[in-house]
């Protein structure tokens, strides 16, 4: 008997063509004709994601961004070089219009769905290049909503360009060492000289995309009061016309658990010339459009990470044998993966539901109920999918056994990169408190109940009807909890359970709606199985 055994590695096939949920979802929402008009780019990216990009990512696995502070002759240069995958990813992102698409709005209210379906395929194989892209998209949205025509004319055409030579990325420099959640503690100051030029002084503690061309940042104009309302939102260009840094020193790159391809830096602003975006106060309010966009991208990256890890684990299950059968033939292994798939499917539908609402908002089509729903669900989708991604990717890693723990299989990095998703763009607790504020019984929660009623009506008896009932009961339970608690401390202590209850209830209702909308047998069956499994995972987290 040959004692040498070589295990086949997991492989991907076209990640669009093989993603049944994504394809059926897009056909359901966009209709066959509209989907056909954009399907080429999805197929193309799906092919790259399973082929050359996936291979490039494997080949580039050990490389990280480099930071050079001094040139050989003693000049401070503070230069960051990014990896090969990042350079390739930027070209591809610009060519595919990953930022341009929602601003060109070629497919109307579905332009966000089109864009973020591409991002969903792009993210897993581009080493978190989605991070600077998310902030770039957020910056474009923020500038447009500021109505600052000078800055809009200056920057937005670059941020949304399809020409790599013209394209700019943007950073979002909010977090200081005093606090990322409580940015009102920020100490960066802004002073305006006699000629009307603003200069910033301070330290920014976490700046991903430190090598971007522009950044939106917060600083406190001299004389302003404390807290977030005393901060102003500033626009800055990182380099002067002569290419020297604009009063910015890059102190070091962070040594991080994951996202190691992302050059996250600590910066000193020392006389950085900047421009006010929207007034001299209320910077935390002015930057809200940025957060809305980056939190949506975060959710897409979360569901994309789940899908990627599961696609690899499912393929591996058909190649790896144990106890006389492939892993896929063992009922318990199959069930383990199926449970994860149900969680990922719920998260996918929740994310793309919020994206649908965002696209309709940008097209000016939202009614009052939908506005309340979007407001309520934006923090909820981010916090829920971030948590679910860590859970699913961690389990998917175990599905490879020991191989999942070995660096050069490329599996461990999936978990490390996923672990950031609940932290940046607002932690789970901070977003849960935000959700609590947005859960007005008369508006957000009432709109949620009405939507749920509509989405799950007419499902008849059986699994879908049982699931619809459980989802509605969980929302009722959470609403009763909210109105029964007067004590602020108790409310805050329960905020995370409250937000997760709403998230899972909406996910379950969306699975029912998806199953209902599919006419052919396999998706209905899948929809029912997903509902059952999601229910078993527990919907109602609120305890009396
Ligand atoms: C890889 C990486 C890249 C990043 N890139 C950027 C960037 O480009 N730009 C940028 O501005 N920031 C960036 N950040 C910073 C990130 O946004 C912050 O780390 C995050 O917002 C949390 O802030 P903090 O680290 O100060 O934690 P803290 O605010 O100190 O929070 C610590 C813990 O306390 C909890 N907590 C805080 N307040 C409350 C409360 N009221 N009630 C209950 N719990 C609470 C939090 O949930 C958290 O668990 C990045 C972070 C990472 C890890």
């Amino acid at each position: 008997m040959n004692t040498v055994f070589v295990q086949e590695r997991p492989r991907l096939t076209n990640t669009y063509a093989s993603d049944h949920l994504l394809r059926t979802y897009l056909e359901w929402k966009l209709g066959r004709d509209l989907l056909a008009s954009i399907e080429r780019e999805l197929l193309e990216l799906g092919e790259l994601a399973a082929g050359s990009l996936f291979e490039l990512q494997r080949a580039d696995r050990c490389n990280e961004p480099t930071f050079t502070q001094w040139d050989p002759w003693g000049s401070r240069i503070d230069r960051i070089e990014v990896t090969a995958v990042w350079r390739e990813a930027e070209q591809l992102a610009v060519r595919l219009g990953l930022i341009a698409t929602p601003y060109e709005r070629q497919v109307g209210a579905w332009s966000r769905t089109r864009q973020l379906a591409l991002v969903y395929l792009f993210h897993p194989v581009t080493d978190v290049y989605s991070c600077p892209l998310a902030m770039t998209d957020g910056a474009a949205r923020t500038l447009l909503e500021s109505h600052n025509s000078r800055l809009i004319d200056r920057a937005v055409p670059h941020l949304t360009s399809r020409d790599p030579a013209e394209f700019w990325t943007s950073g979002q420099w909010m977090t200081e060492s005093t606090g990322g959640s409580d940015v009102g503690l920020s100490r960066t100051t802004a002073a305006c000289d006699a000629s009307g030029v603003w200069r910033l002084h301070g330290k920014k503690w976490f700046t991903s995309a430190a090598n971007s061309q522009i950044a939106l940042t917060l600083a406190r104009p001299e004389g302003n009061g404390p807290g977030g309302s005393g901060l102003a939102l500033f626009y800055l260009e990182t380099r002067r016309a002569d290419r020297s840094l604009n009063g910015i020193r890059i102190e070091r790159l962070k040594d991080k658990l994951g996202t190691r391809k992302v050059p996250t830096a600590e910066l000193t602003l020392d006389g950085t010339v900047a421009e006010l975006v929207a007034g001299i106060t209320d910077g935390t309010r002015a930057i809200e459009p940025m957060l809305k966009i980056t939190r949506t991208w975060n959710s897409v990256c979360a569901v994309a990470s789940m899908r990627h890890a599961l696609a690899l684990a499912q393929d591996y299950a058909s190649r790896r044998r144990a106890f006389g059968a492939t892993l896929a033939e063992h009922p318990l292994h199959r069930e383990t993966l199926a449970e994860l798939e149900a969680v990922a499917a719920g998260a996918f539908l929740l994310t793309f539901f919020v994206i649908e609402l965002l696209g309709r908002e940008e097209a000016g089509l939202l009614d009052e109920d939908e506005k309340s729903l979007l407001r309520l669900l934006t923090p909820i989708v981010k916090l829920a999918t971030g948590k679910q991604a860590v859970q699913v990717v961690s389990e998917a890693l175990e599905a490879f056994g020991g191989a999942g723990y070995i660096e050069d299989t490329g599996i461990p990095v999936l978990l490390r990169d996923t672990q950031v998703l609940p932290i940046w763009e607002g932690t789970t607790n901070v977003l849960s408190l935000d959700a609590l504020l947005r859960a007005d019984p008369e508006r957000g929660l009432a709109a949620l109940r009405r939507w749920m009623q509509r989405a799950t009506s007419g499902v008849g008896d059986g699994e879908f009807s049982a699931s619809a009932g459980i989802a509605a009961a969980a929302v009722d339970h959470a609403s009763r909890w909210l109105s029964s608690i007067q004590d602020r401390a108790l409310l805050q202590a329960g905020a995370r359970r409250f937000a997760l209850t709403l998230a899972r209830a909406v996910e379950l209702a969306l699975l029912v709606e998806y199953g209902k909308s599919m006419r052919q047998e396999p998706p209905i069956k899948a929809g029912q199985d997903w509902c059952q499994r999601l229910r078993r995972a527990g919907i109602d987290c609120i305890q009396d």
Side-chain angles (χ1 to χ4, degrees):
M1 184 180 170
N2 185 357
T3 54
V4 179
F5 170 74
V6 178
Q7 175 62 48
E8 270 187 87
R9 67 182 173 88
R11 289 173 198 283
L12 295 173
T13 52
N14 187 311
T15 58
Y16 172 69
S18 62
D19 191 330
H20 186 77
L21 177 59
L22 175 63
R23 282 182 20 245
T24 51
Y25 172 84
L26 290 176
E27 188 173 335
W28 167 37
K29 290 291 175 174
L30 274 63
R32 204 173 286 253
D33 290 347
L34 195 53
L35 175 58
S37 73
I38 62 165
E39 204 163 29
R40 239 179 71 186
E41 65 198 20
L42 292 162
L43 279 165
E44 181 197 343
L45 184 51
E47 196 58 36
L48 290 172
S52 59
L53 271 178
F54 190 41
E55 290 308 319
L56 177 62
Q57 192 182 37
R58 279 160 40 91
D60 203 37
R61 189 180 63 80
C62 295
N63 294 326
E64 293 191 355
T66 58
F67 173 45
T68 311
Q69 217 161 10
W70 304 95
D71 82 357
W73 313 109
S75 293
R76 181 123 185 205
I77 50 171
D78 289 1
R79 193 175 59 224
I80 294 172
E81 300 279 353
V82 296
T83 60
V85 169
W86 267 47
R87 291 194 296 274
E88 179 72 22
E90 177 167 309
Q91 299 289 315
L92 183 64
V94 178
R95 182 166 68 75
L96 288 170
L98 287 194
I99 306 301
T101 298
Y103 299 92
E104 295 167 345
R105 222 174 278 152
Q106 288 171 7
V107 291
W110 293 111
S111 299
R112 275 283 170 200
T113 302
R114 176 186 183 181
Q115 171 207 24
L116 291 166
L118 287 168
V119 170
Y120 171 80
L121 300 172
F122 177 88
H123 168 73
V125 285
T126 45
D127 289 344
V128 201
Y129 187 69
S130 49
C131 165
L133 289 178
M135 295 189 285
T136 301
D137 190 354
R141 186 81 257 146
T142 306
L143 290 176
L144 286 169
E145 291 196 18
S146 75
H147 303 294
N148 183 328
S149 54
R150 207 199 85 74
L151 293 181
I152 292 172
D153 292 348
R154 168 88 183 136
V156 173
H158 288 290
L159 301 175
T160 60
S161 174
R162 281 182 183 261
D163 176 357
E166 290 295 316
F167 182 64
W168 288 358
T169 57
S170 174
Q172 167 210 169
W173 301 352
M174 292 174 68
T175 304
E176 300 192 4
S177 54
T178 43
S181 308
D182 189 1
V183 288
L185 296 173
S186 296
R187 295 186 172 189
T188 298
T189 58
C192 187
D193 69 17
S195 55
V197 175
W198 287 94
R199 287 195 169 74
L200 312 185
H201 287 89
K203 284 200 164 164
K204 295 293 171 182
W205 191 235
F206 273 94
T207 60
S208 300
N211 54 341
S212 58
Q213 286 80 3
I214 69 163
L216 297 186
T217 192
L218 297 172
R220 197 174 309 281
E222 281 177 338
N224 274 17
S229 58
L231 294 169
L233 178 60
F234 284 91
Y235 163 96
L236 63 89
E237 295 184 6
T238 52
R239 293 190 179 268
R240 305 184 181 102
D242 65 2
R243 308 294 307 138
S244 63
L245 280 165
N246 170 17
I248 297 167
R249 286 197 302 278
I250 303 176
E251 304 298 0
R252 59 174 169 168
L253 295 188
K254 297 279 198 192
D255 185 7
K256 296 175 288 178
L257 169 73
T259 67
R260 293 188 67 92
K261 311 285 181 151
V262 181
T264 306
E266 294 167 19
L267 303 179
T268 299
L269 309 184
D270 189 9
T272 309
V273 173
E275 272 185 63
L276 283 169
V277 174
I280 203 166
T281 56
D282 293 322
T284 45
R285 189 168 312 147
I287 204 164
E288 274 175 15
M290 165 75 86
L291 298 177
K292 185 157 145 185
I293 298 295
T294 55
R295 286 171 184 168
T296 309
W297 274 72
N298 201 86
S299 310
V300 176
C301 296
V303 289
S305 304
M306 291 186 238
R307 167 71 195 155
H308 183 66
L310 279 175
L312 288 168
Q314 279 155 349
D315 181 79
Y316 188 67
S318 67
R319 298 178 192 276
R320 176 77 174 164
R321 294 182 70 80
F323 302 103
T326 63
L327 297 178
E329 286 167 312
H330 289 288
L332 180 53
H333 194 78
R334 248 196 345 261
E335 180 58 25
T336 306
L337 294 183
E339 276 177 14
L340 300 179
E341 210 187 334
V343 174
F348 173 95
L349 291 174
L350 174 59
T351 299
F352 277 84
F353 178 46
V354 171
I355 293 167
E356 178 184 343
L357 291 172
L358 180 62
R360 286 172 55 75
E361 180 188 57
E362 290 176 345
L365 297 176
L366 284 192
D367 62 27
E368 285 309 310
D369 258 14
E370 288 174 319
K371 280 182 196 162
S372 305
L373 212 47
L374 178 58
R375 206 177 121 67
L376 174 62
L377 292 181
T378 299
I380 287 178
V381 65
K382 192 282 183 183
L383 75 91
T385 57
K387 281 292 180 213
Q388 288 172 316
V390 174
Q391 175 208 345
V392 168
V393 174
S394 172
E395 276 287 354
L397 185 145
E398 186 181 333
F400 290 90
Y405 209 70
I406 301 304
E407 283 297 340
D408 55 2
T409 62
I411 306 297
V413 70
L414 302 181
L415 182 58
R416 284 200 301 271
D417 284 355
T418 300
Q419 186 67 61
V420 82
L421 297 172
I423 299 176
W424 64 14
E425 310 307 342
T427 62
T428 310
N429 279 0
V430 167
L431 292 175
S432 298
L433 293 171
D434 193 21
L436 205 59
L437 291 177
R438 294 170 184 226
D440 179 341
E442 306 298 319
R443 296 175 69 182
L445 284 176
L448 180 60
R449 273 214 203 77
R450 282 192 287 272
W451 165 79
M452 202 175 258
Q453 175 73 31
R454 276 196 311 279
T456 60
S457 67
V459 287
D461 292 336
E463 176 54 45
F464 287 146
S465 146
S467 291
I470 285 167
V475 172
D476 285 347
H477 190 190
S479 307
R480 278 199 306 280
W481 174 84
L482 184 64
S483 44
S484 68
I485 307 278
Q486 310 304 328
D487 183 284
R488 213 171 119 81
L490 280 180
L491 262 182
Q492 290 197 7
R496 186 193 270 241
R497 293 195 303 271
F498 173 78
L500 286 171
T501 297
L502 293 188
R504 291 182 197 172
V506 175
E507 287 179 355
L508 188 59
L510 284 163
L511 280 174
V512 170
E513 190 193 26
Y514 167 77
K516 185 177 87 169
S517 72
M518 297 291 132
R519 280 180 210 94
Q520 281 134 26
E521 219 2 69
I524 291 189
K525 178 77 177 71
Q528 287 170 347
D529 289 352
W530 286 337
C531 285
Q532 258 173 14
R533 292 195 173 93
L534 206 64
R535 283 209 276 131
R536 280 208 297 269
I539 295 302
D540 200 343
C541 314
I542 286 292
Q543 308 294 319
D544 287 319

